[in-house]
Amino acid sequence: MNRQRIGVTDWAIAVGVAAVLLFAGLRQQGPTQLDPLGYALLVGGGLALAWGRRAPVAVLAVTAVCALGHQVIGFDAPAVAYLFAVYATVRAGHRVVAVAVSVIMPGAVTLALLASPHDLAVGEAFTRTRDVLQLAWLIAAGAAGEALRQAERRADEAERTREETARRRADEERLHIARELHDSLTHQISVIKVQAEVAVHLAGRRGEQVPEALLVIREAGREAARELRATLEALRDDDKNPPRGLADVPELVRRARSPGLDARLTVEGHRTDVPAAVDRTAYRIVQESLTNVARHAAATTASVRIDHRPDALVIRVDDDGGARPDTVPVPGVGLLGMRERVTALGGRLRAEPRPEGGFTVRAELPVERTP
C-alpha cells in the first residue's frame, strides 16, 4: 500500500482544479441554477486529486464518478479532474487500469448525457462526449504520466547503479587493505616464528630442555600465519581455506593449555548444523576470550562451555584471574570486536568480572532452525 504523505503541492493542485471547475460551473449555469449536488461533485472531484499519489486508482474512480454525475445532472463541464487522475494513475504504474477506465468512459459519458435533462439525440450526445473528455488531452495526460514514470525509473536505476559501483569500489578497497595488512603482519609473524624455530632447534642440539613458553610461541606463530591466509582467502571468496568454526574449538582450547593454565572444554546439548556466520563468530569469541585470559588475566584455570539449545548457541568462557567484582573492565579492541559480531547477529554479549573473582564472557547467538 502506498503510504506517501499528502504534500502542499498535492493540495495546491487539488484546490486549484476544484476552483477552476467551480468557476466554470458558476459562469455557465449561474449561482442560482446549479443544483447543490452539482457543486459537491465539482468540488469533490477536484479535491480528490490531493490523494492522487497516495491512492491513484481510488482517485481515478472518484473523479470518473464525479464527471458522470455532472452530465446526469445536466451540467456540461469538462472532465478536468479526471484528466489529472489519469496522469497520476499512469505515473504510479497502473497503466492497465487507466486504459481500461478510459476506454469505458466515452460510452459512460454518452449514456449520462442521454439521461440528462438536456434531452439530446444520440449523435449530439456523441459530439458532446468528445468535448467533455477532451480525447486529445486524455491521451496527452496518459502519455505524460508514462513518460514521467519511465524517467523516474531510469533515475532510480541510475542511482542503484551508482550505489552498486560504490559498494564494489569499497569492497575492492577493503581487499586491498586486507592484502597490505596481510603482507605486513605475515612478515612480522614470520620473523617471530623463525626465531622461535631457531631457538627450539638450538635447544635441541644442545640437549637442553625446550621451555614450554617457547613451544607455545612457535605454535602461536604457525597458527597466526594460517589465520591470516584463511582470512585473506575468505575476502577473495576462495573456499580453499575456509574460516575456522566450532569444529576447531577443541584444538583451540588444547593449544591454550600451558604449564600455568589449565583450559577445559565442555559441550552440552545436541549439536546440529548452525549458520556459517554463527559458526565463525562462536570460534572468534572463544579465541579472543582465551587470548585475553593468557595476556591479561593471570589465571590458572579457564573453562569453555558451549551449549547447543533449540533456538540459540550459548558460549561461556570463565577464568579465575585477578579481575574483581568492584573493578570496571576497560573494553579493548578484542572485546569491542566480539560485541560487534554478536550484535550483528542479533545476539547478546555479557563480559564482566565474576562475583567469586575472575572474568566471564557469555555470548548468546540466535540460531534459526530449518524444518
Side-chain angles (χ1 to χ4, degrees):
M1 181 180 292
N2 197 337
R3 294 293 184 182
Q4 293 190 25
R5 291 185 176 182
I6 302 175
V8 177
T9 303
D10 299 323
W11 278 114
I13 293 174
V15 172
V17 172
V20 169
L21 289 174
L22 186 59
F23 176 77
L26 292 172
R27 183 178 180 182
Q28 183 173 349
Q29 298 290 97
T32 60
Q33 298 180 10
L34 186 61
D35 188 276
L37 180 59
Y39 282 112
L41 291 173
L42 286 171
V43 176
L47 294 180
L49 295 176
W51 286 266
R53 289 193 303 165
R54 188 180 180 92
V57 176
V59 170
L60 181 70
V62 170
T63 55
V65 170
C66 290
L68 294 175
H70 296 162
Q71 312 309 319
V72 172
I73 291 174
F75 180 63
D76 186 16
V80 178
Y82 177 75
L83 296 179
F84 276 88
V86 169
Y87 161 81
T89 304
V90 174
R91 180 181 176 182
H94 305 288
R95 291 175 294 179
V96 175
V97 175
V99 171
V101 175
S102 297
V103 168
I104 297 172
M105 275 296 287
V109 171
T110 301
L111 293 176
L113 288 170
L114 292 174
S116 69
H118 291 308
D119 194 19
L120 301 175
V122 175
E124 188 177 357
F126 276 116
T127 302
R128 287 204 178 185
T129 296
R130 183 184 59 193
D131 296 334
V132 170
L133 286 179
Q134 297 290 332
L135 296 179
W137 285 103
L138 179 61
I139 295 173
E146 178 63 17
L148 189 57
R149 189 182 76 86
Q150 294 291 344
E152 291 174 344
R153 190 177 68 175
R154 286 194 295 270
D156 291 341
E157 182 66 25
E159 181 65 24
R160 189 161 50 250
T161 301
R162 284 194 295 269
E163 292 176 356
E164 292 175 355
T165 301
R167 282 197 298 269
R168 186 174 65 253
R169 289 177 178 174
D171 291 341
E172 292 174 354
E173 182 64 21
R174 286 169 54 197
L175 181 58
H176 173 72
I177 293 173
R179 288 170 177 164
E180 293 291 334
L181 186 61
H182 171 268
D183 293 341
S184 175
L185 290 179
T186 299
H187 172 72
Q188 301 298 331
I189 291 174
S190 296
V191 172
I192 296 173
K193 186 176 66 172
V194 169
Q195 293 295 330
E197 295 279 1
V198 171
V200 171
H201 177 71
L202 292 177
R205 289 186 59 181
R206 295 170 182 169
E208 301 173 354
Q209 182 179 2
V210 180
E212 183 68 23
L214 191 58
L215 295 176
V216 171
I217 293 173
R218 182 184 66 175
E219 186 62 25
R222 292 175 178 176
E223 178 61 21
R226 286 195 293 266
E227 287 282 347
L228 283 172
R229 286 194 299 268
T231 301
L232 186 61
E233 293 299 336
L235 289 172
R236 288 172 172 169
D237 292 328
D238 188 351
D239 292 334
K240 294 179 181 178
N241 294 306
R244 300 298 181 105
L246 287 170
D248 303 295
V249 169
E251 177 63 19
L252 185 64
V253 175
R254 186 194 66 80
R255 291 199 311 269
R257 296 192 187 104
S258 65
L261 178 65
D262 181 19
R264 298 185 179 276
L265 171 64
T266 303
V267 179
E268 298 179 345
H270 178 66
R271 178 173 179 177
T272 57
D273 292 335
V274 298
V278 174
D279 193 46
R280 293 194 297 268
T281 299
Y283 178 84
R284 291 302 183 188
I285 290 172
V286 176
Q287 182 186 45
E288 184 63 34
S289 299
L290 292 178
T291 299
N292 289 338
V293 171
R295 290 178 179 175
H296 311 299
T300 58
T301 63
S303 65
V304 179
R305 184 180 300 273
I306 298 177
D307 186 5
H308 293 268
R309 299 181 180 179
D311 58 348
L313 180 70
V314 179
I315 303 102
R316 178 166 180 166
V317 181
D318 296 319
D319 67 70
D320 62 349
R324 293 292 178 264
D326 55 348
T327 60
V328 178
V330 179
V333 176
L335 182 57
L336 292 176
M338 281 195 292
R339 193 174 299 280
E340 289 177 356
R341 287 174 180 267
V342 173
T343 302
L345 295 176
R348 292 175 294 179
L349 178 72
R350 181 168 59 87
E352 58 189 10
R354 299 193 303 167
E356 63 272 28
F359 201 80
T360 181
V361 175
R362 185 183 186 278
E364 184 174 339
L365 306 176
V367 177
E368 295 181 0
R369 302 297 184 190
T370 56

